[in-house]
């Protein structure tokens, strides 16, 4: 094997660009994740780490990743640990602790029900149903599909068994490797209904915390200003900038007149204001009356943890701890369902690896709590309380408010998005992230975007693209079958790297674009009847969940020969396990920290 020279690691800022839409490239703010990863033992304290990146040009010879404050450079120039120049494999020769590596692998081997665990490709919402994992005497073995081909991987459990010049190919399944364990594995499977998607009637109809419906054709009951009511959450969001009544009215007034978002027209849907606000006013005393909380037409469907949307994982985790969400359904004041949901999506104001890990552990521990509702309330108040984020508009932790609606008089299902302006005050309508305007469907513009960005769309990791603001819509109509003229596409038709045959790269590029739109995820790509928590769920019973959440296999709407497998709650449970057990120690050789960073889950850019 060719000798590898030592590589001097310098302090510098991260330097990484990828292909982008148009001639200008789109800068990536986070470290890129590889499509292939391996490690070679050079001696007892040194390793060569090699990685390929699907979105990297073969003309690029150097890639710098930021590990904490240290810029670590991988090269593809035949020097400094790289075997062959220009082959798309970037390498580094670095200090490495093989005992720590093996200890981390042993903890993974002790994970409960590992053999039955669903795996998901990095950045992807699809389940990899053919992946298998099992422990042998000295290794934890994986078998399945990698880059479109059958592949086997073996993680060593004993550092003494790793021989000099042996190259170990590493699985990329959103499982962090490289660092020794700091906490014990979670002893039991994550409770999805108690830690991730809380819809139990004892919670959503809690008499002290909710204003709830127990049956149709009846008045709501409970506490109209309880901690989990729509009224209280909007009051906290306004945080004294206006009355709760005026704050709510201002939100729904957006539907009374046409809006212009990003230069695109969003048509008025006046019946939304009629059914929500005017009817609420009548029940509160008459037209124009101040809204009363006891006449609120919103009932709680679920409380949702989205730690999988966090800003980062691992020792140098940044950003926030993901999101916490409240999902409400509209009724007519007498608990008869109307076709509208509203989702309050909060950014959890917690940062730092150990703090995020503790946050995740508290949600895992909820499942065994004898005071479940009280403990759940203490967790939700972290992001819902007035003043939860002192540096944000209105000092609120709200990230965005999104609505799904198909009321009488509305021509189609429609999704909208709202945010607080930087100066604070009332919610304002904004563009729907990752949703191209409908006018771009089947257009040359969309074909050009796909041609330029398919490596980011397909990966692996997949779905690392960003739809430019100039293309994003002010609302998302449903249904939409996203596509582009085949004659204008140059996206390869070679086998897809993750989805099994007969899927092609082109199939997956179109699929990832469509799935990561609100309109695609809420119907055509997942066979969902518009809402993932059904607004037509019977009062007094848990909300019905979509197959996308609970598990479903559906044919690709553009190529029915390709099956798409979803179980998003299982994916979120696996990710919560990662967050609750991740290593946070920074005192480790740079090679171990680098391997951990490269194997961590890619940040999920999806908005749903």
């Amino acid at each position: 094997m060719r000798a590898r020279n030592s590589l001097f690691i310098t302090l510098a800022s991260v330097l990484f660009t990828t292909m982008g839409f148009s001639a200008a490239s789109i800068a990536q703010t986070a470290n890129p994740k590889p499509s292939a990863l391996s490690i070679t033992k050079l001696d007892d304290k040194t390793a060569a780490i090699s990685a390929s990146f699907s979105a990297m040009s073969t003309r690029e010879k150097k890639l710098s990743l930021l590990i904490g404050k240290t810029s670590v450079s991988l090269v593809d120039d035949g020097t400094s640990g790289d075997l062959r120049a220009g082959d798309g494999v970037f390498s580094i020769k670095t200090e490495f602790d093989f005992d720590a590596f093996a200890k981390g692998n042993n903890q993974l081997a002790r994970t409960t029900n590992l053999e039955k665990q669903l795996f998901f490709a990095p950045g992807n919402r699809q389940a990899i149903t053919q992946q298998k994992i099992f422990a042998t005497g000295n290794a934890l073995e994986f078998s399945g599909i990698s880059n479109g081909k059958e592949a086997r991987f073996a993680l060593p459990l004993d550092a003494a068994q790793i021989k000099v010049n042996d190259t170990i190919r590493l699985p990329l399944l959103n499982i962090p490797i490289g660092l020794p364990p700091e906490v014990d594995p979670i002893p039991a499977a994550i409770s999805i209904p108690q830690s991730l998607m809380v819809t139990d009637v004892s919670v959503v109809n809690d008499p002290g915390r909710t204003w709830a419906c127990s049956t149709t054709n009846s008045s709501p009951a409970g506490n109209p200003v309880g901690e989990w009511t729509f009224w209280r959450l909007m009051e906290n969001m306004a945080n004294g900038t206006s009355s709760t009544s005026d704050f709510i009215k201002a939100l729904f007034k957006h539907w009374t007149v046409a809006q212009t978002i990003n230069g695109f027209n969003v048509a008025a849907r006046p019946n939304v204001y009629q059914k929500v606000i005017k009817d609420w006013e009548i029940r509160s005393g008459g037209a124009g009356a101040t809204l009363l909380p006891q006449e609120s037409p919103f009932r709680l469907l679920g409380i949702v943890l989205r730690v999988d949307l966090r800003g980062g994982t691992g020792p140098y985790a940044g950003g926030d701890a993901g999101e916490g969400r409240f999902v409400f359904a509209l009724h007519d004041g007498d608990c008869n369902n109307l076709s509208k949901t509203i989702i309050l999506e909060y950014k959890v104001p917690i940062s730092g690896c150990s703090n995020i890990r503790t946050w995740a552990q508290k949600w895992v521990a909820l499942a065994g709590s004898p005071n479940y509702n009280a403990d759940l309330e203490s967790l939700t108040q972290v992001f819902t309380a007035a003043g939860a984020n002192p540096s944000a508009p209105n000092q609120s932790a709200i990230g965005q408010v999104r609505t799904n609606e198909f009321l009488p008089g509305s021509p189609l299902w429609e999704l909208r998005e709202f945010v607080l302006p930087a100066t604070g005050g009332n919610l304002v309508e904004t563009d729907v992230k990752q949703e191209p305007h409908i006018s771009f469907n089947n257009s040359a513009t969309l074909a050009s975007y796909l041609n330029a960005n398919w490596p980011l769309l397909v990966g692996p990791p997949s779905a690392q693209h960003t739809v430019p603001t100039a293309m994003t819509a002010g609302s998302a109509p449903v249904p939409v079958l996203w596509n582009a003229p085949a004659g204008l596409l140059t996206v390869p038709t070679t086998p897809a790297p993750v989805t099994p045959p007969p899927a092609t790269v082109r199939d997956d590029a179109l699929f990832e674009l469509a799935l990561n739109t609100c309109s695609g995820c809420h119907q055509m790509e997942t066979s969902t009847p518009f809402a993932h928590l059904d607004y037509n769920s019977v009062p007094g019973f848990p909300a019905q969940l979509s197959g996308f959440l609970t598990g479903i296999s559906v044919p690709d709407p553009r190529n029915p020969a390709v099956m798409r497998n979803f179980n998003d709650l299982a994916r979120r449970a696996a990710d919560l396990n990662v967050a609750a057990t991740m290593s946070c120690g920074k005192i480790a050789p740079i090679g171990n920290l680098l391997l951990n960073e490269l194997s961590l889950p890619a940040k999920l850019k999806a908005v749903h």
Side-chain angles (χ1 to χ4, degrees), residues 368-404:
S369 171
N371 302 301
Y372 182 86
N373 285 20
D375 289 344
L376 177 60
E377 180 185 336
S378 70
L379 290 176
T380 60
Q381 283 184 333
V382 170
F383 53 85
T384 63
N389 187 352
S391 63
N394 292 7
Q395 298 187 352
S396 171
I398 192 67
Q400 58 280 330
V401 173
R402 292 193 291 137
T403 63
N404 307 333

Side-chain angles (χ1 to χ4, degrees), residues 4 37 70 139 142 144 196 270 282 294 313 319 365 375 386 390-391 393 409 421 426 476 483 521 560 591:
R4 293 173 167 91
L37 182 63
T70 301
F142 299 75
L196 285 167
I282 295 299
Q294 62 268 31
T313 304
D375 289 344
S391 63
N426 293 325
N483 214 332
C521 183

Side-chain angles (χ1 to χ4, degrees), residues 187-226:
I190 300 289
S191 173
I192 290 173
Q194 291 183 296
S195 298
L196 285 167
M197 178 66 66
V198 184
T199 60
D200 192 89
V201 174
S202 65
V203 173
V204 299
N205 283 21
D206 183 305
R209 297 177 174 90
T210 71
W211 189 233
C213 291
S214 58
T215 186
T216 57
N217 295 312
S218 64
S219 297
N223 181 355
V225 294

Side-chain angles (χ1 to χ4, degrees), residues 241-563:
T241 58
S242 66
S243 71
T244 308
S245 175
D246 288 345
F247 190 75
I248 294 171
K249 287 184 179 183
L251 168 62
F252 288 97
K253 194 172 182 179
H254 287 90
W255 278 270
T256 63
V257 295
Q259 306 289 322
T260 300
I261 308 293
N262 282 348
F264 300 115
N265 181 67
V266 179
R269 294 162 79 105
N271 201 43
V272 173
Y273 194 81
Q274 172 69 49
K275 299 305 294 182
V276 178
I277 300 301
K278 289 190 175 181
D279 287 359
W280 193 344
E281 288 176 343
I282 295 299
R283 294 193 301 273
S284 298
T290 298
L291 303 177
L292 298 178
Q294 62 268 31
E295 301 299 341
S296 171
F298 289 103
R299 66 182 181 97
L300 181 63
L301 289 183
I303 299 172
V304 186
L305 176 68
R306 295 300 306 272
V307 73
D308 61 308
L309 298 177
R310 63 191 176 278
T313 304
Y316 297 99
D320 52 52
E323 291 187 358
R325 298 179 172 182
F326 278 74
V327 184
F328 293 91
L330 178 69
H331 61 81
D332 64 356
D334 289 319
C335 291
N336 299 304
N337 294 323
L338 296 173
S339 302
K340 184 178 180 68
T341 58
I342 185 165
I343 308 100
L344 311 184
E345 301 176 350
Y346 297 86
K347 299 290 185 185
V348 179
I350 293 174
S351 63
C353 182
S354 60
N355 293 331
I356 295 172
R357 184 175 65 191
T358 299
W359 173 251
Q361 290 170 344
K362 288 180 177 179
W363 282 86
V364 172
L366 269 178
S369 171
N371 302 301
Y372 182 86
N373 285 20
D375 289 344
L376 177 60
E377 180 185 336
S378 70
L379 290 176
T380 60
Q381 283 184 333
V382 170
F383 53 85
T384 63
N389 187 352
S391 63
N394 292 7
Q395 298 187 352
S396 171
I398 192 67
Q400 58 280 330
V401 173
R402 292 193 291 137
T403 63
N404 307 333
E405 176 263 322
F406 188 29
L407 292 171
S410 298
L412 291 170
W413 285 322
E414 184 188 64
L415 302 98
R416 296 193 184 195
E417 186 170 331
F418 303 84
V419 296
L420 288 175
T423 55
N426 293 325
L427 289 159
V428 296
E429 190 163 353
T430 187
D431 58 320
V432 180
K433 307 303 182 289
Q434 298 291 72
E435 177 85 22
H437 189 266
I438 188 64
S439 64
F440 292 116
N441 195 24
N442 282 301
S443 71
T445 301
L446 192 60
S448 295
Y449 177 81
L450 289 161
N451 292 338
N453 287 276
W454 67 263
L456 292 173
L457 284 156
V458 176
S462 61
Q464 298 302 293
H465 66 293
T466 299
V467 177
T469 303
M471 290 179 66
T472 51
S475 65
V478 180
V480 176
L481 177 60
W482 289 101
N483 214 332
L488 298 179
L489 289 173
T490 59
V491 181
T493 55
T494 51
V498 173
T499 308
T504 67
V505 171
R506 184 175 295 185
D507 288 329
D508 275 10
L510 285 162
F511 166 73
E512 291 294 346
L513 174 78
L515 178 66
N516 286 282
T517 65
C518 287
S519 57
C521 183
H522 279 258
Q523 193 175 63
M524 297 298 291
E525 307 302 320
T526 62
S527 291
T528 296
F530 187 49
H532 291 300
L533 279 77
D534 191 358
Y535 47 75
N536 280 323
S537 299
V538 178
F541 292 87
Q544 295 178 346
L545 306 180
S546 69
F548 170 76
L549 292 174
T550 60
I552 193 173
S553 295
V554 299
D556 186 296
R558 287 161 298 275
N559 182 358
V562 176
M563 295 300 295

Side-chain angles (χ1 to χ4, degrees), residues 555-578:
D556 186 296
R558 287 161 298 275
N559 182 358
V562 176
M563 295 300 295
R564 306 292 184 183
N565 303 296
F566 304 106
N567 193 327
D568 211 58
L569 287 175
R571 181 193 63 77
R572 298 178 197 179
D575 183 81
L576 179 57
N577 183 75
V578 168

Side-chain angles (χ1 to χ4, degrees), residues 101-185:
F101 174 52
K103 287 178 181 178
N105 297 340
N106 272 279
Q107 171 159 302
L108 180 60
R110 296 195 303 271
T111 301
T112 304
N113 293 325
L114 193 59
E115 295 178 3
K116 298 179 180 180
Q117 181 174 321
L118 277 175
F119 289 95
F120 299 81
N124 206 309
R125 311 296 281 273
Q126 289 189 94
I128 307 175
T129 57
Q130 69 274 28
Q131 193 74 38
K132 296 180 181 179
I133 183 170
F134 51 93
T136 61
N138 294 313
L140 185 63
E141 297 194 10
F142 299 75
S143 65
I145 300 295
S146 176
N147 290 320
K149 299 178 182 179
E150 289 284 343
R152 295 183 70 88
F153 306 90
L155 292 177
L157 301 177
D158 182 358
Q161 299 296 318
I162 306 173
K163 306 301 182 183
V164 172
N165 291 336
D166 278 356
T167 296
I168 304 169
R169 297 175 61 210
L170 303 174
L172 294 171
L173 295 169
N174 300 313
I175 300 172
I177 53 181
L179 291 177
E182 295 177 348
V183 297
D184 292 332

